[in-house]
Amino acid sequence: KELLEVSDATLYCLVRASNLEEGKSKLENNLQQYGIWQDHYSGRIIPIIGDLAQPHLGINGEQFQNLAANIDTIYHSAALLNYVYPYSALKTANVLGTQEVLRLACQTKVKPLHYVSSVAVFESSAYAGKLVKEDDDFHDWEGIFLGYSQTKWVAEKLVKIAGSRGLPITIHRPPLISGDSQTGICNTHDFINLMIKGCLQMGSFPDVDYMLDMSPVDYVSKSVVYLSRQETSVGK
């Protein structure tokens, strides 16, 4: 939505669907669900039927080449998010999927890649209690126990390697993302909402003293899009 609002770009969106019509409907329904759909968006959203977990993103060879030749920049924020699955169950989508996005970014012509990572890359016990800065490198992985966090660590390493080889990259590391700051509309199936729902159903709540760090989704999207459009952000 932010990209549609601040630019005149046509957006090609990877989506799992059986055909273009279903893919278009799926994207539109998703925007409607979050209360951000506008009818005039329709002509600027092009569904690309595929799958992040498949080679070449599940796109046939000819279409992959056409995309590589015609798109100008890539925003990669897709991932399989699950706090129970091990690394092995998430690797295909989150790590190999990022590898395929990098392939697309490098093919035919070089296209800047804006990668949405996570603060989870610093979950190693080596950083516990320490000040971590945006431009600090992250070599330590020991003590990252969540399979999801492990995949984000490896995927961001791939992106940084691509950057060191000449691909223009920007990396964005949001924390936990909460609902819209204006409307409160959010993903009701995320970890926090489901945990609160479960606590209400059980009539119990864990006895933990924990500071929860959340950022409103509209703030995150505005930040990512704004920073991605600054020449000074490249490589940062």
Side-chain angles (χ1 to χ4, degrees):
K1 184 226 177 195
E2 184 67 18
L3 283 169
L4 289 165
E5 289 292 328
V6 303
S7 76
D8 57 2
T10 299
L11 305 186
Y12 293 81
C13 300
L14 186 71
V15 58
R16 288 190 302 266
S18 55
N19 55 56
L20 287 172
E21 186 178 350
E22 182 188 329
K24 184 92 169 181
S25 177
K26 193 173 180 181
L27 291 166
E28 181 178 330
N29 290 341
N30 201 37
L31 290 171
Q32 286 179 338
Q33 176 187 335
Y34 291 109
I36 53 177
W37 171 255
Q38 302 284 339
D39 287 339
H40 64 267
Y41 292 164
S42 184
R44 292 173 54 201
I45 299 177
I46 311 298
I48 300 297
I49 308 305
D51 189 335
L52 186 65
Q54 297 295 322
H56 286 89
L57 304 172
I59 305 169
N60 70 49
E62 183 180 354
Q63 188 177 28
F64 193 86
Q65 293 295 338
N66 285 339
L67 274 177
N70 290 303
I71 61 176
D72 299 307
T73 190
I74 298 173
Y75 289 81
H76 178 36
S77 62
L80 179 58
L81 173 54
N82 188 293
Y83 285 167
V84 178
Y85 287 180
Y87 177 88
S88 57
L90 301 168
K91 174 186 174 182
T92 308
N94 297 358
V95 177
L96 301 185
T98 299
Q99 179 178 283
E100 295 304 305
V101 171
L102 289 167
R103 191 190 310 279
L104 181 65
C106 298
Q107 199 126 331
T108 308
K109 66 177 183 181
V110 172
K111 296 163 283 294
L113 172 64
H114 309 292
Y115 175 62
V116 179
S117 182
S118 169
V119 293
V121 298
F122 289 109
E123 275 180 9
S124 168
S125 52
Y127 305 109
K130 295 182 179 179
L131 179 67
V132 179
K133 298 182 180 179
E134 288 176 354
D135 55 354
D136 285 353
D137 211 342
F138 56 108
H139 298 296
D140 295 288
W141 53 266
E142 298 89 343
I144 301 180
F145 296 111
L146 286 179
Y148 170 75
S149 301
Q150 292 168 351
T151 62
K152 296 302 281 188
W153 189 93
V154 177
E156 187 177 320
K157 280 289 184 184
L158 290 178
V159 173
K160 295 204 77 163
I161 290 169
S164 71
R165 296 178 181 178
L167 182 69
I169 61 164
T170 59
I171 293 174
H172 308 267
R173 299 189 188 119
L176 198 61
I177 299 174
S178 62
D180 188 285
S181 65
Q182 303 301 310
T183 65
I185 294 175
C186 61
N187 174 13
T188 56
H189 297 288
D190 76 352
F191 171 72
I192 296 300
N193 283 310
L194 290 179
M195 190 185 82
I196 292 171
K197 179 182 177 182
C199 291
L200 289 169
Q201 290 171 333
M202 291 188 297
S204 300
F205 193 80
D207 183 15
V208 291
D209 182 15
Y210 183 69
M211 184 70 74
L212 198 59
D213 183 17
M214 298 193 292
S215 296
V217 63
D218 52 319
Y219 176 84
V220 172
S221 61
K222 285 178 185 294
S223 300
V224 169
V225 171
Y226 175 81
L227 291 168
S228 71
R229 302 180 80 201
Q230 309 303 308
E231 288 185 17
T232 53
S233 294
V234 176
K236 295 182 181 176

